[in-house]
Amino acid sequence: MTAEFTVSSDKHEVRERLRPILVLIHETLEASIPIVLDSMSRQSLPFSPFLFSSNIRCHVKKALKAGGYNPEDPDDELPLVVNNISNDGIDFNAASLHIKMLKGLDLPKASSGSREAFYEQQSFAFAMDDYAEAPLRNVVVLWNFADSKLTLQLIAPQKKNGLRLWTAEVPSPAEWIEVRDRLDSTDEDLEVPLKRKAAKSGEDD
Amino acid sequence: MIYGARVRQAREFNGFTQAKLADLVKRDQSLIAYIENNFKEPSDDLLDAIAEHTKFPVSFFARPPDVELPAGSLIFRAHASLTRREATEAHRVAEVVFSIGIHLTNRVEAPKPSIQGRTEYSEEAARKTRLSLGLPPNTPVPRLIRTLEKAGVWVLPLPNLEGRDAFCGWAPFDNYEIPVISISTGRPGDRLRFSVAHELAHLVMHKNLPMKGVGEIEHDADVFASEFLMPRDEIYGDLLPPLTLTRVARLKPKWGVSMQALIVRARSLDLISQRQYRYLFQQLTARGWRDAEPANLDVAVEKPRLIAKMAEVAYGGTATKKIAAAMHLSEVSVESIFSHFAKKEDFAEESIGLDRKIVKFPTKHSH
């Protein structure tokens, strides 16, 4: 597959390209967090970060697998392929990128050989002179929920120790809405209809 | 002859206490009180000083008080920061704007009010009022202020009045009463619309103050405003669970109300639990959206038009000079007042039309 981006690509361009999926993930998280918290509370379970994250992942994976995105605007679709991986991790491909979704505020260090390769963009180009032209293959969507605030970051990893090429904050979709079109209603009479009274004698016009 | 009521009106218009005005004109407060109660006439020097500090022409004080906007019927929106002095100041400013409108009725036929008092419970009153205004039962209201003005409601914009939103009342005039809503400028469009709908509720339901507590009256008005701007039959489908901030944001431009109002509406329709309601508000707070919602969702601010149009019809233009002379006001004051009204040329740029906006955004997905 031809890479759409290089390691020098603007992070905002990458984020914009992934926008339909990031919005989908964000909204799924927004919807599922209270559901999961409610469910744990109803079962009188003590809060377990593992159980919480695992449940949330399940919701997100289901949403991603549902496929098809914005029926109101087919141009806004971004096809994706969800990969089946062990330990119910979230891993998918879209826009020539391999994307992993992880939880936390910071990119964790790679703890396996495959994760190391993922972080290092499966490329030897970083050690070479033409590194700027190396394809950007892998990105991470890092999510976190603390103090009632949901945060999402899009990260292009670079090294196995968690060093990154860049980080792009993912805004809430509420801040991303674009009012694109206007229905024309020029036939509507905006004026308040008024009539002038007949002038009284002696009045100054 | 100098009218004490005019001195009080000019003083309160500026938000001065008697002591403050006395201080400015270097006289005793008791003298100001005597003048305002017509027990004493001010000297020419003192009148000049009062005129200078209140920025009203001397001739204003010699003009008999005209039609009054009854303060007793004004119902202020609950606002913690609103003091009695601020309320009086707001009332006085409204009175001046209102008196300009009354002056213009000498030359122009103002629309006769078509809204009426209702005794039904809030939601039913809102539905019937929509009907009487010729609005479809279940759609967003694109131009609220213009709709009310066409129904004979005078909407008065009050400049430079921080800390208050709106108030209303029925003002006796000739052989009928004019429904008047005074609004404070500088408010976000969504909040302004809700305030106007809230005041409409007071006009319709609380014309004769019912024997209810202020809290209950305000609650009734909020329920009315919610149903008026977000009719149950249509908004219900829009707010079906799962309700997220993203979905609420998507609905804001459609309905022209704040995200907060939509969440409250969802709770009142029992579409979200108290816990979900709290969770959504916690998220709003965490993002700082309780104070200012995302700018990309801003609802355009609709300006009142009626009195400016009356001036245009009466004088063939705003005619600041003629109105100032007739009303014994300074030209600057009249200009300032008219700057808050929509002009004819504003219509081309007006983007109040909520129904004209299509938000391209994903529909909700299954979980």
Side-chain angles (χ1 to χ4, degrees), chain B residues 76-77 79 82 86 89-90 93-94 145 155-168 181-189 191-193 195-196 199 301-304 340:
Chain B
F76 282 81
R77 288 199 72 189
H79 201 296
L82 190 71
E86 287 172 329
E89 183 188 341
V93 176
I145 290 179
V155 182
L156 314 178
L158 309 186
N160 307 319
L161 296 167
E162 295 300 324
R164 69 217 71 169
D165 282 355
F167 57 88
C168 67
I181 295 177
S182 302
I183 56 170
S184 186
T185 56
R187 296 287 182 274
R191 183 165 160 179
L192 174 66
R193 284 165 51 80
S195 294
V196 170
E199 297 308 321
V301 177
E302 190 182 4
K303 286 181 174 180
H340 297 284

Side-chain angles (χ1 to χ4, degrees), chain B residues 185-263:
Chain B
T185 56
R187 296 287 182 274
D190 51 342
R191 183 165 160 179
L192 174 66
R193 284 165 51 80
F194 199 90
S195 294
V196 170
H198 177 105
E199 297 308 321
L200 175 64
H202 286 317
L203 287 174
V204 168
M205 297 194 300
H206 308 135
K207 187 174 178 182
N208 303 309
L209 274 178
M211 298 300 286
K212 286 180 174 179
V214 172
E216 202 177 341
I217 289 173
E218 293 292 81
H219 172 75
D220 286 352
D222 281 341
V223 172
F224 176 103
S226 290
E227 176 63 23
F228 188 88
L229 294 173
M230 301 170 271
R232 170 192 292 259
D233 289 347
E234 185 64 25
I235 198 91
Y236 196 92
D238 280 352
L239 295 173
L240 281 173
L243 192 65
T244 62
L245 285 194
T246 302
R247 278 194 53 221
V248 169
R250 193 165 53 226
L251 293 170
K252 177 174 173 172
K254 175 180 175 183
W255 290 96
V257 295
S258 66
M259 293 168 73
Q260 295 175 60
L262 285 157
I263 295 168

Side-chain angles (χ1 to χ4, degrees), chain A residues 30 182-183 189 197 204, chain B residues 105 107 150 246 322 356:
Chain A
E30 275 186 87
R182 289 176 186 279
L183 288 171
D189 180 15
K197 284 180 179 171
D204 173 25
Chain B
T105 59
R107 292 162 176 262
K150 283 182 176 177
T246 302
K322 286 180 181 174
R356 292 186 294 164

